[in-house]
Amino acid sequence: VKTAQPSVIVAASILLLSGLIGCRQKNTFVQPPPPQVTVAKPEKRDVTIFMPAPGRLEARDAVDIRARVLGYIEKVMFDDGEFVEAGQQLFQIERAPYEAALKAAEARLSSAKAALGIAQTNYDRRQQAYKTRAVSEIDVLTARANLDSAKAEVLAAEAAVTQAKIDLSYTDVRSPVSGRASRRLVSVGNLVGGGEPTLLTTVVVQDPIHAYFNVSERVLVPKLGDLARLEENDMDSAPEVFLELADGSRYPHPGRIDFVDNRADQTTGTVTVRARFPNPDSELLPGLYGRVLIPEKTENAILVPDLAIQRDIGGPFVLIVNDENKVEARYVTLGQKADTDRIIKSGLDGTENVIVAGLQRARPGIEVTTTVQTAETATDAKEASAQQ
């Protein structure tokens, strides 16, 4: 028997392989399953949004303590930074020159009063003598003029005594207000009050403390009615505000608006507003900067996660799933951000199924499979959003 040639074997193998391939079933396209997305209905609740406004703190009262008379400092009667009471003595300027000036003024007053007594007696006698024509009328008029001059001298001497007492009182330098004193700017032995009143220290009233800030007319106009009725003695009805310090912490005591300027700045469109904050522990210092937080409450607001909002040339929109499980784009009007959520002013009524996860797999018009967001997944999503 002859052995088959190699070419014949190869040809037979090809025919056999072709037959096997022809017997297989033809490939058909299988539709992939709809993409999976997570949906949630918009949340409805009352929301308070804080509008920040840069502000600066100023003391309610700040008094420069100055030397009002010339003299050497004999005593400094407070410690730097000490809290002082109204009327408390802070400095002692040498008293001796002013005590001597007071005695000299009192001596001149006594002399003027003695001269007045003589002038009064002389006038009375000449007036009596004139009745019998023992003296002339001109003598009476002269005596009356001398009496008036003596009275004027007494008044001038009394004024000099009063001024001497005032100058002497100025040697006791006292605080006119209760507050915290700054450091002493002069020491014992220094000459003060020469040429101009020398600045000795400053006392500031820290409780309460004022915060001045500028508010745009857009924020202020809706509140003008309430602010126009502000009364000094009715702070409980004034709008409440909060203070955020430079380190990001919030001051624990809320403040109240107690002043609105009487005109707006035409260049910036803002109005200067003042808020009063209690400062019992002197935690706040004049000159510090912070952010005044103005609360704005929105009742029954519609909120969606801020990450669910997308934007295109038409504006902001959210993707929702309709009753046919198809994706739709819904354009919305945005409000303020509340933590990780966003207030929706218009475009949603709160009944929609908003896509909150799987947005990269969804596009308008396609069918999707939905999973409703649970409380646990919502919390995880908010924490993730807050970290971004």
Side-chain angles (χ1 to χ4, degrees), residues 29-47:
F29 176 74
V30 178
Q31 183 74 21
Q36 185 81 26
V37 296
T38 302
V39 298
K41 293 189 180 298
E43 185 180 0
K44 285 187 177 182
R45 57 183 169 90
D46 295 342
V47 179

Side-chain angles (χ1 to χ4, degrees), residues 119-385:
Q120 183 70 54
T121 301
N122 186 40
Y123 172 70
D124 292 341
R125 288 182 178 181
R126 287 182 181 276
Q127 191 177 37
Q128 189 67 29
Y130 179 69
K131 293 180 180 179
T132 62
R133 297 297 187 269
V135 295
S136 64
E137 182 180 3
I138 191 65
D139 291 334
V140 176
L141 294 175
T142 300
R144 179 55 188 264
N146 291 336
L147 176 61
D148 292 341
S149 178
K151 290 181 178 178
E153 288 294 332
V154 171
L155 291 176
E158 289 176 342
V161 170
T162 301
Q163 184 61 55
K165 289 180 178 179
I166 292 174
D167 291 342
L168 179 59
S169 69
Y170 287 162
T171 61
D172 297 338
V173 182
R174 300 180 182 275
S175 174
V177 295
S178 297
R180 191 167 301 280
S182 178
R183 64 183 180 89
R184 68 191 76 181
L185 300 178
V186 293
S187 301
V188 173
N190 281 288
L191 179 66
V192 296
E196 63 179 13
T198 306
L199 180 62
L200 305 178
T201 188
T202 302
V203 177
V204 297
V205 179
Q206 294 181 323
D207 185 25
I209 196 167
H210 288 156
Y212 287 87
F213 56 100
N214 293 326
V215 178
S216 69
E217 55 188 15
R218 177 183 61 83
V219 176
L220 186 63
V221 167
K223 302 179 181 294
L224 285 178
D226 294 335
L227 296 177
R229 293 187 289 271
L230 286 178
E231 296 183 6
E232 182 70 21
N233 298 325
D234 189 19
M235 287 300 297
D236 290 340
S237 63
E240 191 175 59
V241 294
F242 300 87
L243 181 65
E244 184 181 278
L245 302 178
D247 62 354
S249 63
R250 181 176 294 188
Y251 185 61
H253 303 290
R256 299 277 184 177
I257 294 176
D258 68 345
F259 166 77
V260 179
D261 206 354
N262 57 5
R263 60 180 179 178
D265 189 330
Q266 296 182 355
T267 59
T268 62
T270 60
V271 179
T272 299
V273 180
R274 183 182 70 197
R276 181 190 302 179
F277 288 89
N279 191 27
D281 300 323
S282 299
E283 297 179 48
L284 302 179
L285 298 177
L288 293 180
Y289 283 83
R291 294 201 309 168
V292 178
L293 305 177
I294 308 169
E296 285 190 354
K297 185 175 181 180
T298 303
E299 296 182 353
N300 204 25
I302 296 176
L303 299 101
V304 299
D306 191 56
L307 290 177
I309 298 171
Q310 303 184 67
R311 291 170 175 80
D312 63 9
I313 194 172
F317 67 93
V318 295
L319 295 178
I320 67 171
V321 179
N322 61 21
D323 295 338
E324 300 176 355
N325 286 335
K326 290 188 177 181
V327 179
E328 293 182 5
R330 186 72 58 85
Y331 287 91
V332 294
T333 302
L334 302 180
Q336 297 294 324
K337 189 176 180 181
D339 295 330
T340 59
D341 295 330
R342 177 75 67 169
I343 296 176
I344 304 299
K345 291 185 175 181
S346 63
L348 298 178
D349 60 16
T351 62
E352 299 86 353
N353 290 317
V354 178
I355 300 178
V356 295
L359 290 167
Q360 69 277 10
R361 298 188 294 270
R363 65 178 186 275
I366 69 170
E367 185 177 350
V368 293
T369 301
T370 61
T371 299
V372 178
Q373 187 181 56
T374 63
E376 293 181 357
T377 57
T379 302
D380 295 340
K382 288 187 177 183
E383 292 178 353
S385 176

Side-chain angles (χ1 to χ4, degrees), residues 5-29:
Q5 297 294 327
S7 58
V8 176
I9 295 174
V10 171
S13 299
I14 291 174
L15 290 174
L16 180 60
L17 182 60
S18 298
L20 292 175
I21 293 176
C23 293
R24 287 184 180 180
Q25 186 177 0
K26 294 184 177 180
N27 289 334
T28 58
F29 176 74

